[in-house]
Each structure stands twice: as structure tokens, then as C-alpha cells.
Amino acid sequence: MATDPRSLYKNSDPTGDAARAQRLAEQYGFTYVDLNHFQIDHQLFRDIPLELMIRYQFLPERRENGHICVVVGDPTDVLKLDELELLLGAPLKVKVASPAAIRDKLEKSESTQRVLDEATEGFKLQLIGENEEGEETLTIDSITQQEASPIIKLVDSIVFNAIQRRASDIHIETRDNEVVVKYRIDGVLYEALDPIDKRHHSTIISRIKVMSELDIAEKRVPQDGRFKLRITGRTIDFRVSILPTAHGEDAVIRILDKESMNKEFKTLRLDVLGFDDDMLAKFRKFIKEPYGMVLVTGPTGSGKTTTLYAALSEIQSPDDKIITIEDPVEYQLRGISQIPVNEKKGLTFAETAQIAINSALTGHLVFTTVHANNVLDVLGRFLNMGVEPYNFVSALNCILAQRLVRRICQECKHELKYPDAFLIESGLDPQLYRNKTFWEGKGCLECNGTGFHGRSAISELLDLSDRIRGMILDRRPASEIKKTAKEEGMTFLRESALKKVMEGRTTLREINKVTFVE
């Protein structure tokens, strides 16, 4: 008895999906498509209803000689293909891809943006129910269903799309006569959709308040809350801040994906953060010292907390007791006692610093973060707040300053040369760099047209050598300390950033936004 080709996909696992699709394509004479490098006709994609793509699990590629090229997972389901041909109103030219890859493409990129666009246009939406665990469950299928509450579907679509596009925050901003929704992706804000009419503002904010269990009637004071959703099999926490402004209330939703979409961070270690090998070796030495203070500095959103979590995950052992005091506790670390700071703590920065220094001097290893622009600014900040200089210098092992730069998208990365004027503007000698090859991203589906995908750390690490300690105690100028640190082999932020440019990991334009041109 002949084997039904469709049985190849029963109980399939994602890793074997592509191989099975390839065999099926070869067996029946169809072209196999690797969707990792798949280009589609954007206009055709927008013309075909998204519900149709989801129901028939296909991707439209392009129009060709009166035919529509489509990519399907199972080319042997003739009845389904006949139905699709009738619905699309044109003969089909069929190609084959992994069913799992097709599902993944429909879950991501432009298809989720379509869900959002359609939610803002139609407002014919369905209330999403709660599962047995009491958490709302969002999927692309449930959002695309047609009946019911418009505002609920709009907000659900905004949240779902933000997750698929790797956003860290959702900003809902009120203006004179419109409401603007923005996503923060890789540290940069992008408008998520066309502005929404101002008359929908109060109902959107009310929906977010209901989800966060906040007071709907209170519109004059800031409110903070949180809610939880189950999305594509993961439970994700959201922190909400509502802030009154001149035009009405604004909302910021922080996305805390504790199960982490990025597989690299399942086992968080320092080597996945993008630090240079030399700096990493030095930093690892300092975090394994028996006592002393390790300071990590940088502005808000520079990855300080992630670096400390990675450091803790590397040094923790059953022999040690590790306690963290955090404001707030964002990610839970196994085997570590994490204490949230009391909101009414009343502790000043100077008092907190003094506690950290005393702990470091009495045999504890202390990690702390502080907001400062670079390692030398940290010294000034501590010494000008009344901290005893000798104790501070004795306690300190090292200071790490860091920033995050966006990584070039690997799917649309291309080579280019920069004109002399831009090289000079970037502090580079045209004689040396005129013929040097640089890289940028053109923008594609995978990176939402930005040319970037993900971020990487750049850093500078100050080793508290005896010579540097002496200069700090003598209150030597920062310029002298910097010169001495350079002589002792310290790499500064700009140099760390330029190294990533030369390696083709980020762009010259990107590092010019993040570091000073010297």
C-alpha cells in the first residue's frame, strides 16, 4: 500500500520539518524554498486577506504571467489548493517550504503588522477569553477572528505585535487630536501604526487600566500597575505606567519576557552580551575576587542589570550565599535570594553607597550599578558626596562602563564605502579609511526595515591599579587619570565601538549616536 505523503508531517518536530518538506518537493517535482532568505511582493501580501493565509497556511510570493506563486507546506492536498485557487481568482504556481517555517513567518514580521493595521481600520473584534490559569491567551488566530469588541482587539493587537517585533516597551502618547502608538525596539522608538483618532483615547487607556487593575475614574495622578498574558506558549509580565499630560493620559507598557524570546539568554552568561575577549577576561577575574566592590555604570537602558545578572549566574555556587537588593526585581535567578526595594525606602544614594563600601571592606563581594557617563564620572560622583576617599578606593576592585549598540541585520547586510566628509565627521583619517569596506543593513522583513537586529555591548573597564588608586587619593584631574589608564592598556568606549564597526557587527552611524567622536 502506498504511503500517504501527508503522513510525513504527522507528529513532526521543527528540526525535521525542513528535511521532510525537501523530500516531498523532490518526490513531486516542486521547487523547495528556504524561508530564511525569502523575498515577497509586499503589495501582493497586503492584497490577500491575512485570515486566508492563516486558514490555508500559505505565503504568497509574487504574480507571474497571470499566475500567483504561493509557498505551501503540503503540495499534495489538491482539494485545498483548488479551493485556494478559486478564492484567489488566479491559477497557482506552487512551491514547497517547511510547514513550521510558514507558521513562523505568519506569526512574525509583516503579518502581525497586518493584524494591527486591520484592527485600527475595522474595529470588528472579538473579546479574548481567559484560560484555566486565569491568564489571557493571545494568538494570531484569536486576534484575527471577526466578531466583537473593537478596543479590546485593538489593544490586544498592539501588545501581540509588540512581542513579535521584539519591542521592550509600548508607548501610547496623546496629542492635540490624535493618539500615537510607538514601540521601542533595540533601544529606538518607532511608530507602530498610523495615528488613531483622539476620540478613542479614553477607551484605550481605560482598557489598559482594566488589564492592570488600576482606577479607571482617576485621571489626575500617575498610576502604576502590571498584568500578565500567555503568548505563544510563554507567560509574559507587563509593567504599566499611566501619566497625566496636557492633552490627556499617556501610557507606557514595559514588556518583561521572563522566559526570554532570545534563546541565547536561556542560560545567561557574560560571553553572549558582546563584550570584547580581552575586557571579558579582565572582568571575569574581578567578579571572582573574594571581596571588594564591582561598579557597573551607564545611562538608563544600557544593559547594566543584564550584565550583573550574567555575572551572578557565572559565579554562583552552592558554597556561597548571594543576596540581591533590586528596584525592581525584573528577572528571577535560580539559587539567589532577590529582595525588592521597599517603595518607601527613604535611603539616599549616599547612604546606599556607604553601605556598599562598608560591605566590601568587611569581606563581602559587592556588585552595584550607578548612573554615570563613563568610569571617570563615577569617581567624581562618589568622591563629591562625602564618601571617605581612602575607604572608597580600598573597597573598589574595578569600574565597568557600558553602552548598547544595534547589530547589523545579517539578512540584509551589505558592503559600502563612506565619503571622506563622513569619515572626517566620524574622527577617522580619510587617508587610512577611504578604501576600507564598511557594512550597513538595507532593511528587510526580518528587521522591520531598520537594518538592525538585536544589540551588543561596548565597554570600558578601569582596573584600580596601585598607581590609579594613588592618583584618585591625590585628587588628580580626570584627564591625568585617563592618560595613565591608557598607558596601562585601558580600552575606552569609542575604541570598543570602533572595533565592532571594523568587525562588521555595527555601523559607523550607529556608534556616532552612542559615543563621542574623539
Side-chain angles (χ1 to χ4, degrees):
M1 183 176 173
T3 305
D4 180 355
R6 281 167 286 184
S7 67
L8 285 168
Y9 289 119
K10 289 177 182 175
N11 304 316
S12 68
D13 65 285
T15 53
D17 233 15
R20 280 186 286 273
Q22 229 163 340
R23 288 200 301 273
L24 200 58
E26 286 172 11
Q27 185 178 347
Y28 288 92
F30 291 106
T31 302
Y32 173 77
V33 177
D34 179 357
L35 292 185
N36 288 326
H37 308 285
F38 182 64
Q39 296 294 321
I40 63 170
D41 179 332
H42 295 277
Q43 188 55 52
L44 176 62
F45 190 91
R46 283 189 287 270
D47 290 345
I48 295 173
L50 184 58
E51 292 84 0
L52 207 62
M53 292 186 235
I54 293 166
R55 194 185 326 143
Y56 287 89
Q57 287 294 295
F58 77 96
L59 289 170
E61 184 184 20
R62 62 178 181 273
R63 297 184 192 274
E64 189 178 90
N65 301 325
H67 290 67
I68 295 178
C69 295
V70 297
V71 181
V72 301
D74 180 8
T76 66
D77 194 340
V78 180
L79 290 176
K80 198 171 181 180
L81 290 173
D82 285 347
E83 282 179 29
L84 188 57
E85 201 166 67
L86 283 170
L87 290 165
L88 294 178
L92 300 182
K93 183 175 179 182
V94 175
K95 296 183 180 180
V96 181
S98 152
I102 292 173
R103 281 195 301 275
D104 190 52
K105 282 286 181 187
L106 289 171
E107 284 281 329
K108 292 178 181 173
S109 309
E110 209 166 307
S111 50
T112 52
Q113 183 64 39
R114 283 274 304 280
V115 169
L116 192 54
D117 292 342
E118 288 167 16
T120 59
E121 288 167 15
F123 283 177
K124 301 177 190 140
L125 315 168
Q126 180 186 12
L127 184 67
I128 295 194
E130 294 196 346
N131 66 12
E132 57 278 2
E133 295 177 8
E135 298 165 349
E136 287 195 69
T137 302
L138 291 187
T139 67
I140 199 167
D141 304 279
S142 58
I143 294 175
T144 51
Q145 294 182 32
Q146 287 302 306
E147 310 99 22
S149 168
I151 292 300
I152 290 177
K153 183 170 180 182
L154 173 61
V155 174
D156 288 347
S157 300
I158 288 169
V159 171
F160 183 81
N161 192 34
I163 296 292
Q164 297 301 334
R165 290 179 63 182
R166 305 177 297 108
S168 59
D169 306 87
I170 303 167
H171 292 248
I172 297 172
E173 300 174 1
T174 317
R175 297 180 182 169
D176 261 348
N177 53 10
E178 63 188 20
V179 179
V180 176
V181 179
K182 296 179 181 177
Y183 293 152
R184 187 179 297 281
I185 303 170
D186 293 334
V188 178
L189 283 172
Y190 300 94
E191 289 201 9
L193 62 154
D194 293 334
I196 299 167
D197 195 301
K198 179 74 175 280
R199 62 196 171 93
H200 299 299
H201 165 256
S202 61
T203 45
I204 292 170
I205 297 294
S206 294
R207 168 60 180 164
I208 294 168
K209 286 181 178 178
V210 168
M211 294 169 78
S212 314
E213 298 182 350
L214 298 177
D215 185 352
I216 298 175
E218 181 56 74
K219 299 178 187 294
R220 295 166 297 173
V221 299
Q223 297 188 66
D224 292 317
R226 60 178 61 225
F227 62 92
K228 186 183 290 188
L229 294 175
R230 183 169 289 280
I231 299 177
T232 59
R234 298 191 317 282
T235 300
I236 299 175
D237 287 346
F238 299 83
R239 281 213 315 269
V240 177
S241 292
I242 306 290
L243 186 69
T245 69
H247 298 297
E249 291 176 294
D250 283 5
V252 177
I253 303 172
R254 181 83 189 273
I255 301 168
L256 297 174
D257 186 355
K258 292 184 179 178
E259 296 174 35
S260 189
M261 293 177 71
N262 191 333
K263 293 176 183 175
E264 289 177 326
F265 288 82
K266 292 288 185 186
T267 53
L268 182 59
R269 295 181 64 81
L270 288 166
D271 45 18
V272 303
L273 304 183
F275 291 120
D276 295 337
D277 291 342
D278 291 345
M279 197 292 300
L280 197 52
K282 290 178 186 175
F283 189 59
R284 278 183 165 140
K285 177 176 77 75
F286 289 121
I287 67 173
K288 290 174 182 173
E289 298 284 5
Y291 57 85
M293 184 161 64
V294 174
L295 268 179
V296 180
T297 185
T300 301
S302 61
K304 299 186 298 295
T305 304
T306 303
T307 297
L308 288 191
Y309 278 168
L312 288 174
S313 71
E314 289 200 6
I315 66 169
Q316 65 171 309
S317 77
D319 305 332
D320 298 318
K321 172 75 170 178
I322 297 178
I323 297 173
T324 69
I325 302 170
E326 304 176 47
D327 183 13
V329 175
E330 291 195 2
Y331 295 88
Q332 293 168 359
L333 301 175
R334 186 182 296 277
I336 292 176
S337 302
Q338 294 173 272
I339 303 167
V341 174
N342 188 321
E343 287 182 4
K344 298 176 182 176
K345 49 191 178 292
L347 277 178
T348 65
F349 179 80
E351 289 170 308
T352 309
Q354 194 62 58
I355 292 167
I357 290 167
N358 290 342
S359 299
L361 289 172
T362 53
H364 296 85
L365 182 61
V366 177
F367 293 167
T368 186
T369 66
V370 60
H371 290 108
N373 286 325
N374 54 54
V375 293
L376 299 173
D377 286 354
V378 175
L379 298 173
R381 186 161 187 206
F382 271 85
L383 295 175
N384 290 327
M385 68 170 66
V387 169
E388 171 57 44
Y390 183 81
N391 286 345
F392 172 59
V393 169
S394 300
L396 199 55
N397 289 352
C398 71
I399 306 172
L400 171 70
Q402 70 176 67
R403 298 284 190 283
L404 294 175
V405 293
R406 291 180 293 171
R407 290 196 304 244
I408 299 171
C409 173
Q410 294 302 305
E411 297 299 322
C412 59
K413 184 176 178 179
H414 72 289
E415 297 181 358
L416 77 164
K417 300 265 193 305
Y418 287 126
D420 286 2
F422 182 65
L423 293 172
I424 293 167
E425 185 186 317
S426 303
L428 300 179
D429 183 349
Q431 297 284 353
L432 298 176
Y433 292 95
R434 183 175 293 130
N435 296 316
K436 164 74 181 165
T437 298
F438 293 88
W439 291 267
E440 288 186 0
K442 290 181 179 178
C444 65
L445 274 179
E446 291 300 317
C447 62
N448 295 300
T450 64
F452 296 98
H453 194 286
R455 289 188 288 175
S456 184
I458 58 169
S459 60
E460 59 186 23
L461 182 70
L462 180 65
D463 179 348
L464 269 290
S465 66
D466 290 341
R467 191 176 167 197
I468 297 285
R469 288 180 204 272
M471 294 182 77
I472 295 170
L473 289 174
D474 292 341
R475 293 191 178 262
R476 305 303 300 167
S479 57
E480 286 187 28
I481 298 174
K482 183 175 181 179
K483 183 181 176 184
T484 301
K486 179 71 174 172
E487 289 170 3
E488 293 183 353
M490 178 175 166
T491 300
F492 294 97
L493 277 171
R494 180 70 180 181
E495 294 170 322
S496 175
L498 277 170
K499 185 178 179 185
K500 279 194 163 42
V501 171
M502 300 311 166
E503 292 170 348
R505 294 158 74 182
T506 191
T507 72
L508 197 52
R509 297 179 201 281
E510 173 70 4
I511 71 162
N512 287 350
K513 294 176 185 174
V514 176
T515 61
F516 283 110
V517 176
E518 295 176 355

